[in-house]
Amino acid sequence: MTLHDLEKIFQAKIDQEIKIEPKDWMPEAYRKTNIRQISQHAHSEIVGMLPEGNWISRAPSLKRKAILVAKVQDEAGHGLYLYAAAETLGISRDQMIDDLHSGKAKYSSIFNYPTLSWADMGAIGWLVDGAAIMNQVMLCRTSYGPYARAMVRICKEESFHQRQGFDALLVLSKGSEAQRAMCQDAINRWWWPSLMMFGPKDSESTNSDQSMKWKIKRKTNDELRQNFVDMIAEQIKLLGMTLPDPDLKWNEERKHYDFGEIDWTEFWNVVKGNGPCNKQRLDARRKAHTEGQWVREAAIAYANKKKEKSAAA
Ligand SMILES: [Fe+2]
Ligand SMILES: [Fe+2]
């Protein structure tokens, strides 16, 4: 079979909504794009644990602490499913972790912003996990089987994350003057970075067309961003708060909310590693990796011992 035939069969499968599985033939660029996207997603899950982990020891009640611990643990689990999905494409976990720690691999820029108050835990759940869900619901139908299946479970947990975030803000929004101000301040700081989570505009997104053809993505950055704005612009009414965008307005003709322009200079600046917490996050990851060395060694020694035992039996 020629390369051309293989490519034809591959694309026909995708067009018929048949999932691509690890042992199937696939174009090298498809493999690479998936490795990049899935590992980037995995890194985002585990780096995402850092800004929220910051507040576990300072949660305002036992109930909130338990919820936050559960949520941060979920994110670790998401990282694990996704690393495992990426491994099926022929990259090792060690390689991916090395790429993260050397700065070669990216993770979502949203986690390079600091968490300054308790209300940020609410704003992250509601806005950041909310934006993540928009992306991830689409990914439950992505063409690469292991990625799609991992996303189904992740999405269920993300819905809980968003609910708990909204609930935390709802309580603050009904609280004292200071609590209401804290709630509004968190929304003000997280709104624009959340919009940036959908990536560059379609007109400037280099990977978009091919990813749509291969059904790795099914909606464009701009479509997803619009869906997100439409959802949040309604939900914020329940909080009695406002979004920090004077241009936000319902457009009866389009049946969508219009909204202001993202600060793209800030967007690219954070992507390039100059965000407020880029260095802090990578340092924290590297430190955790070094300090966890003995755990990995112990796990390998234990696995070898077990293997020897079963070989001897
Ligand atoms: Fe997650
Ligand atoms: Fe989450």
Side-chain angles (χ1 to χ4, degrees):
M1 228 185 284
T2 66
L3 187 64
H4 182 71
D5 294 336
L6 288 167
E7 272 170 6
K8 256 177 118 175
I9 296 169
F10 172 81
Q11 189 62 47
K13 260 194 203 161
I14 291 194
D15 295 342
Q16 292 167 55
E17 301 291 336
I18 299 170
K19 293 273 177 266
I20 305 302
E21 297 298 339
K23 291 204 169 102
D24 294 346
W25 184 88
M26 62 187 84
E28 257 327 282
Y30 177 86
R31 183 187 301 276
K32 274 204 186 126
T33 305
N34 267 294
I35 287 178
R36 185 176 46 79
Q37 187 174 325
I38 302 170
S39 62
Q40 197 168 308
H41 191 164
H43 299 327
S44 304
E45 300 285 353
I46 61 163
V47 176
M49 297 168 73
L50 298 170
E52 289 182 296
N54 186 34
W55 281 88
I56 290 174
S57 60
R58 290 174 287 167
S61 68
L62 183 60
K63 179 181 145 194
R64 291 289 168 197
K65 191 195 283 274
I67 292 172
L68 188 59
V69 168
K71 193 226 180 215
V72 172
Q73 273 180 346
D74 282 353
E75 307 299 6
H78 298 173
L80 284 180
Y81 314 152
L82 290 164
Y83 283 125
E87 280 178 312
T88 64
L89 289 160
I91 185 169
S92 71
R93 177 125 16 146
D94 286 343
Q95 182 65 51
M96 289 185 269
I97 299 283
D98 281 352
D99 289 349
L100 171 66
H101 293 169
S102 72
K104 188 178 160 215
K106 295 261 176 268
Y107 56 87
S108 178
S109 288
I110 191 83
F111 302 118
N112 290 319
Y113 289 86
T115 43
L116 305 180
S117 76
W118 169 253
D120 287 15
M121 297 305 96
I124 288 182
W126 179 43
L127 297 173
V128 175
D129 290 273
I133 292 171
M134 278 285 158
N135 252 312
Q136 294 175 355
V137 165
M138 151 189 92
L139 291 174
C140 292
R141 295 190 301 126
T142 191
S143 58
Y144 187 56
Y147 192 21
R149 290 188 287 272
M151 290 320 300
V152 172
R153 179 152 172 200
I154 290 177
C155 276
K156 287 183 186 156
E157 294 175 349
E158 292 301 351
S159 310
F160 154 70
H161 297 173
Q162 198 194 19
R163 286 286 294 276
Q164 65 84 34
F166 186 79
D167 183 67
L169 291 184
L170 193 60
V171 170
L172 290 174
S173 76
K174 290 178 179 158
S176 66
E177 208 38 57
Q179 285 171 319
R180 289 180 54 79
M182 183 165 76
C183 179
Q184 182 63 60
D185 170 65
I187 294 168
N188 290 350
R189 282 181 293 106
W190 288 96
W191 172 245
W192 290 104
S194 303
L195 287 191
M196 294 178 197
M197 283 174 72
F198 297 95
K201 280 193 221 183
D202 293 347
S203 52
E204 268 149 56
S205 175
T206 42
N207 299 316
S208 241
D209 287 352
Q210 185 63 70
S211 287
M212 295 285 275
K213 189 172 168 236
W214 280 337
K215 295 189 183 168
I216 295 175
K217 287 182 73 159
R218 287 171 180 264
K219 285 184 178 184
T220 70
N221 295 356
D222 287 340
E223 279 177 89
L224 290 166
R225 187 162 22 235
Q226 179 71 62
N227 291 347
F228 178 69
V229 171
D230 290 346
M231 175 177 83
I232 298 297
E234 286 301 316
Q235 290 179 353
I236 195 149
K237 293 177 185 168
L238 300 169
L239 292 176
M241 297 279 143
T242 55
L243 291 172
D245 179 357
D247 296 325
L248 185 81
K249 212 172 79 211
W250 177 251
N251 182 324
E252 186 54 39
E253 218 170 283
R254 291 200 310 123
K255 300 276 180 228
H256 286 294
Y257 276 89
D258 290 336
F259 56 100
E261 189 71 30
I262 286 172
D263 180 350
W264 294 108
T265 315
E266 177 183 328
F267 173 86
W268 289 114
N269 202 29
V270 183
V271 169
K272 284 179 189 141
N274 305 318
C277 299
N278 289 56
K279 189 179 174 313
Q280 192 184 327
R281 299 291 182 241
L282 272 188
D283 286 350
R285 274 300 319 154
R286 289 193 200 108
K287 182 165 173 269
H289 194 67
T290 312
E291 288 176 357
Q293 180 67 30
W294 70 272
V295 179
R296 291 190 296 279
E297 281 166 8
I300 290 169
Y302 180 72
N304 286 342
K305 233 189 215 171
K306 261 189 124 178
K307 229 188 275 163
E308 275 167 28
K309 245 192 197 165
S310 64

